[in-house]
Each structure stands twice: as C-alpha cells, then as structure tokens.
Amino acid sequence: MIGFSLSPGGLLLPYHMGVLSTLSDKGYITDKTPLAGSSAGSIAVATVGSGVDIETVVEGTMRINKKCREAGGARGRLLGLLQQELEDQLPLDAHHILNSRDAPVGLAYQEISFFKAENIVQTEFESREDVIQAILNSSMFLFFSTNFPFRLNFKEGQPVLARDGYFTVPRERFGCPLLPADSNNVDREVTISVFPHSVIGLTASLEADSISPAVASGIGDDTVDEQIKELFRRATQVSSDEVVWDMYESGQNDASKWIQKEELYQNIN
C-alpha cells in the first residue's frame, strides 16, 4: 500500500490538484489510500478526500487570484478568501465522508498554548466546520496568509494559537507531514512537492518515492535559480488563468512520469 504526503505550496495549489487528478484517474488514489498534507497540500487532500471535483478547486484558485489582483496582491488576504471557497465547495457532509474513508486523510498544523507547541495531524472531524478550521489552521503561514503570525482559536474556553503545517516536521521533509498513525498496511510513502525535491532539500524520500517538478536543464546554475524564483513567485503572487492551468497540467504530467517509472519497476520486480 502506498500513501501520499503533500507539501505546502501557496498559490501553486493547482500543481497538487493536477498530480492528484492523474493519480486518481489511474487508480493510485482510492478511499483505501492514506493521504496527508500541509497548507496547500491540506487543501488538496481534504477536497479530493471529500469528493470535490478537482477542476472546481482549480477554478477556485483562479477566483482567489482574481480577487487578490483586484485588491492589490495576495499577501494578507489568502486565508479569508480560502475560507469563502471552502464554504462554497465542501459538501455539507464533508466530515462524514472523510471520517468514513477506509484510510485516513490527515491535515497537519501546529498548535501553541502556554508556550508549548504540539504538532497535529488531524484525521477525525466533528463537523464540516471542523474540516474547514483544520484546513485554515494548516494554511496559516505567518505574515502571508493573513497579516498576523498565528490564527487565534479557542479550546474549552482557552486561547490556542495555530500555524502552518510546514512547521510540524523537520526541515528535510519540507512540510510534508508524516502519514497518520492509523494508516494501516502502508509500506511506502510518496512525497509530493510543488518545488523540485533536490533543490529545496526534501531528502526524506527516495527518488522513486517523490513527485515534483524536474530541475530545469541548462548551462550553469542560473537556469535553476530562475526556475526556483519563478516557482516561488507563482506560490506567493497572483497568476493569470493561463498560468494556473499550466500549473495544473504540469502536475498531471509529473504524476504521469512517476506512474510510468512505477509501472516499469513493478514489472521488473
């Protein structure tokens, strides 16, 4: 059994959706497949896990881009716009769908109370609103998703701070959360990143267990530098609808390449 763990990625979310689209179409993701994600990765696994149409999520990203463009930029505005899209897109029984899957969907975020940090991968949800709040917690990157470093929540009347799932794991995982502890019969974990594994230091996975953009080929390091700058620009700044669909198709293509290698490996062994 293979489980998939997805990285943060900001407005590069359509890349994740493209990867999950191809993996789902080819039967690599079913209700029996454990999934986990941080930030953009949490949006991807929660929507796919609850049955939201994948292209609908991509179109939601385009609406967020448009609203940010009209308002003067993405910084500080993303979490509120994300909440609106989740309210519109998630089915009313999203929590029941996620809870009843044969394998869990884990949404990673960090909670801080009384100066103590706790890393959480939430897999059980009391309500649709609980799903939305977990996604928002996971997507709370300091001074970017909003103008604040944390989300302020309350548990049993006590204040609790929440921040992005990126902070729940060591640097070598680049925010890809560990698969939930109740992921039974998983013998492989594949990490999916919107940035090339080798460039960002995502060394927790072997090459065969990694899906991400290929490192740009060219003469010297300038080509790679330009590629990473452009990816970070797309992750943090608004893009045109054409670029959004390009991200989505890039994810589909990279997933297809991984599947080809996976099938070849399985045939050999």
Side-chain angles (χ1 to χ4, degrees):
M1 172 71 71
I2 300 175
F4 296 92
S5 177
L6 280 66
S7 76
L11 289 167
L12 282 169
L13 169 64
Y15 178 88
H16 275 328
M17 303 312 297
V19 171
L20 296 188
S21 170
T22 296
L23 293 176
S24 297
D25 288 346
K26 298 300 183 180
Y28 283 87
I29 291 180
T30 69
D31 279 354
K32 294 180 172 63
T33 308
L35 302 171
S38 291
S39 205
S42 76
I43 302 169
V45 299
T47 52
V48 168
S50 60
V52 179
D53 178 73
I54 287 178
E55 291 194 359
T56 298
V57 179
V58 178
E59 291 166 356
T61 307
M62 291 192 293
R63 286 190 291 271
I64 289 175
N65 272 283
K66 180 181 179 182
K67 291 175 182 177
C68 287
R69 187 182 302 112
E70 292 172 347
R75 183 180 177 277
R77 299 182 172 92
L78 289 176
L79 212 65
L81 295 173
L82 170 60
Q83 183 167 6
Q84 292 175 22
E85 288 294 332
L86 293 173
E87 295 283 1
D88 290 341
Q89 292 188 27
L90 285 180
L92 295 178
D93 60 345
H95 55 302
H96 288 308
I97 297 172
L98 292 172
N99 291 341
S100 63
R101 287 180 92 249
D102 291 333
V105 170
L107 310 182
Y109 54 93
Q110 189 176 76
E111 282 191 340
I112 303 172
S113 58
F114 300 106
F115 305 102
K116 180 181 178 181
E118 180 181 3
N119 298 325
I120 294 172
V121 180
Q122 184 172 343
T123 59
E124 294 290 332
F125 307 95
E126 296 180 356
S127 64
R128 179 177 184 265
E129 181 63 22
D130 194 24
V131 178
I132 292 173
Q133 293 304 314
I135 296 171
L136 295 177
N137 287 342
S138 184
S139 304
M140 178 62 202
F141 201 85
L142 64 170
F143 301 116
F144 173 65
S145 304
T146 72
N147 290 320
F148 302 97
F150 306 99
R151 288 191 81 218
L152 176 61
N153 301 315
F154 288 89
K155 276 189 173 182
E156 299 177 352
Q158 298 298 318
V160 177
L161 303 177
R163 65 173 179 171
D164 200 277
Y166 173 85
F167 299 101
T168 63
V169 289
R171 175 67 182 82
E172 61 267 20
R173 294 189 65 88
F174 196 75
C176 291
L178 296 170
L179 291 174
D182 50 349
S183 300
N184 297 325
N185 302 319
V186 174
D187 48 27
R188 286 178 61 195
E189 174 198 63
V190 173
T191 56
I192 303 171
S193 172
V194 300
F195 303 105
H197 279 63
S198 60
V199 174
I200 58 171
L202 206 173
T203 58
S205 301
L206 299 174
E207 183 178 354
D209 296 332
S210 306
I211 302 175
S212 65
V215 176
S217 59
I219 300 174
D221 293 333
D222 290 346
T223 304
V224 176
D225 289 345
E226 288 302 315
Q227 176 194 21
I228 299 305
K229 286 178 182 178
E230 177 60 16
L231 287 174
F232 272 101
R233 188 203 67 76
R234 292 184 178 189
T236 58
Q237 299 177 36
V238 296
S239 296
S240 67
D241 290 354
E242 181 181 2
V243 170
V244 169
W245 283 115
D246 178 66
M247 297 178 203
Y248 176 68
E249 291 170 359
S250 294
Q252 289 181 312
N253 292 335
D254 288 339
S256 294
K257 293 174 184 176
W258 178 83
I259 289 172
Q260 290 173 0
K261 293 178 181 178
E262 179 68 12
E263 290 178 346
L264 178 61
Y265 173 81
Q266 295 298 335
N267 289 333
I268 292 175
N269 292 275

